[in-house]
Structure formats: C-alpha cells, structure tokens
Amino acid sequence: KNQVEQSPQSLIILEGKNCTLQCNYTVSPFSNLRWYKQDTGRGPVSLTIMTFSENTKSNGRYTATLDADTKQSSLHITASQLSDSASYICVGASGNTGKLIFGQGTTLQVKP
Amino acid sequence: EAGVAQSPRYKIIEKRQSVAFWCNPISGHATLYWYQQILGQGPKLLIQFQNNGVVDDSQLPKDRFSAERLKGVDSTLKIQPAKLEDSAVYLCASSPRQRSDNEQFFGPGTRLTVL
C-alpha cells in the first residue's frame, strides 16, 4: 500500500533556530519525492521535487534530502523566520501519471 | 501568471443540502485535480481530469459527489446531499501535462462546513 508518514506531527521552535522534519515513504512505482509548504488558509506550494537519483536539493533556507535505499526524506530549515510557521507536507509521486500520495503534514510554529 | 482560482472561499450549509464549487485552472494547463483535505490531514485526491476526460475518480464517493470539466478548462465539483463528514477544504490544482515530474499548482481552496 502506498503511504507517506511524517514526524513529528507538530513542532515549536524559536526564531533563528534550525529544525529538521522527517518523512518515511512507501511509494511504488516511485517517481519523485516532494515537499510542500501550506500556510493557514492557503493551498500547498511546492518547495522541492527530487527524483531517486538526487539526494539533496535546496530552495533558499530549505534543504531536502532523499535516501532512496531507506525510503526516507528530510526537510531542514535554516535560521527559521516567523513566516516559516506553516504545515509542511511530504508527498510521494507514483508512476507515470504522477499520482501524489500525501503525508499528514508537520505543523511548524516559529515563535519570536 | 495568474494562479488557480477557486470560489467560493467559504461555504456553510446544513446536512442534506447541496453545494457546488468552481475552479479555474492556470491557462493552458491540461490536467486538473480536485482534492479533499480534512483538518489535520494531507489532501486526498477525489478526481483527476486530463482535458475534459476523467483519468482517475477511484476515490470519489460517486453516490453523492460529481464533477465535470466542460470544454477542458473550468471545473465544478458538486456534493448532493452533503453529510457532516464532508466538512473539509476542497482544493483544486492544475499542471501542464499528466507527467510524474510535473509540478501541481494549488488554488486557495474552499472551506466547507456542514452543520
């Protein structure tokens, strides 16, 4: 069964600190792994997309890693800002149609 | 470039009533998706269109949900009759083509509350 699991479910950090969000996936056939940011009341916005041959990809202060052997991914946020407060969703894309399998998300709250 | 537009943004109805949501995808995007996102969960695909044809509607509760994409552009999603468990955010997304590496662009969603 295709599924994506994320941890932790929620996280509170102080502004300026770093944090890492985790994702375990079972997606077959695997095409790519994505991280989305979803602000409250908004639709998800893509941060990174990685295929199995990529093990790291950055987008500003966001760095995603992918270990295709262990089927794990992480999203590292450097020097957090208040605007990073959002839900971060790990998503696996399956096969040729690109059907997306969503995790339940990690809710990040950055406090001043 | 204009993003995916959805309306209304919020809707409150009583159970057993009907409701319809509208989506206008990014111009030129052939693939359109409707997702249901229950509070605290990730989005769940309800239906996927390629132009005006249905590609995947395996998770659409067809006894009460229906969707159409006339002329391969705008789309509407209808619920009739609504149940309490339909309370969720309904997201519309579009992508240029039906490819696994295509990015999906999401609209702001419609928040439905069923009383």
Side-chain angles (χ1 to χ4, degrees):
Chain A
K1 176 185 177 183
N2 288 331
Q3 63 181 22
V4 175
E5 296 181 345
Q6 295 185 241
S7 63
Q9 185 173 352
S10 62
L11 183 62
I12 300 174
I13 63 173
L14 293 176
E15 186 178 13
K17 298 296 185 181
N18 303 334
C19 67
T20 300
L21 314 181
Q22 302 291 344
C23 172
N24 295 321
Y25 65 92
T26 304
V27 176
S28 181
F30 176 77
S31 177
N32 57 75
L33 193 289
R34 310 168 182 214
W35 284 93
Y36 282 85
K37 178 186 180 187
Q38 186 173 24
D39 291 313
T40 301
R42 311 285 283 272
V45 174
S46 179
L47 294 175
T48 62
I49 300 177
M50 290 183 292
T51 63
F52 71 92
S53 61
E54 299 174 290
N55 55 23
T56 186
K57 182 166 280 190
S58 293
N59 179 356
R61 294 179 296 102
Y62 302 101
T63 299
T65 66
L66 177 66
D67 186 331
D69 292 331
T70 63
K71 295 183 172 53
Q72 295 179 326
S73 178
S74 66
L75 180 69
H76 185 76
I77 304 175
T78 303
S80 61
Q81 299 177 358
L82 298 179
S83 59
D84 293 332
S85 295
S87 178
Y88 292 85
I89 307 175
C90 178
V91 185
S94 173
N96 296 326
T97 62
K99 184 172 183 176
L100 301 185
I101 296 95
F102 289 80
Q104 80 278 20
T106 292
T107 300
L108 173 66
Q109 186 176 359
V110 180
K111 290 191 169 183
Chain B
E1 177 183 78
V4 176
Q6 291 188 246
S7 67
R9 290 297 312 278
Y10 306 92
K11 190 72 177 180
I12 300 174
I13 62 173
E14 295 187 348
K15 60 183 179 183
R16 291 187 290 273
Q17 286 187 322
S18 301
V19 65
F21 312 129
W22 174 82
C23 172
N24 181 236
I26 292 173
S27 178
H29 281 196
T31 309
L32 184 147
Y33 312 80
W34 282 102
Y35 291 90
Q36 180 192 60
Q37 186 175 24
I38 293 173
L39 185 65
Q41 299 181 18
K44 182 186 82 171
L45 179 69
L46 292 175
I47 189 168
Q48 176 184 343
F49 291 96
Q50 179 71 14
N51 297 310
N52 60 352
V54 176
V55 174
D56 183 354
D57 63 357
S58 57
Q59 297 195 87
L60 186 74
K62 299 180 185 63
D63 57 333
R64 298 184 301 106
F65 286 64
S66 64
E68 60 181 10
R69 191 184 184 196
L70 298 177
K71 301 180 182 178
V73 182
D74 293 6
S75 178
T76 56
L77 176 70
K78 297 179 181 178
I79 307 175
Q80 180 181 7
K83 293 185 175 181
L84 296 177
E85 59 261 35
D86 297 333
S87 294
V89 174
Y90 291 84
L91 294 165
C92 179
S94 70
S95 64
R97 292 174 302 279
Q98 184 185 309
R99 272 180 47 172
S100 59
D101 59 346
N102 267 175
E103 182 173 346
Q104 291 188 21
F105 297 85
F106 286 82
T110 295
R111 180 177 296 277
L112 173 67
T113 301
V114 182
L115 303 176

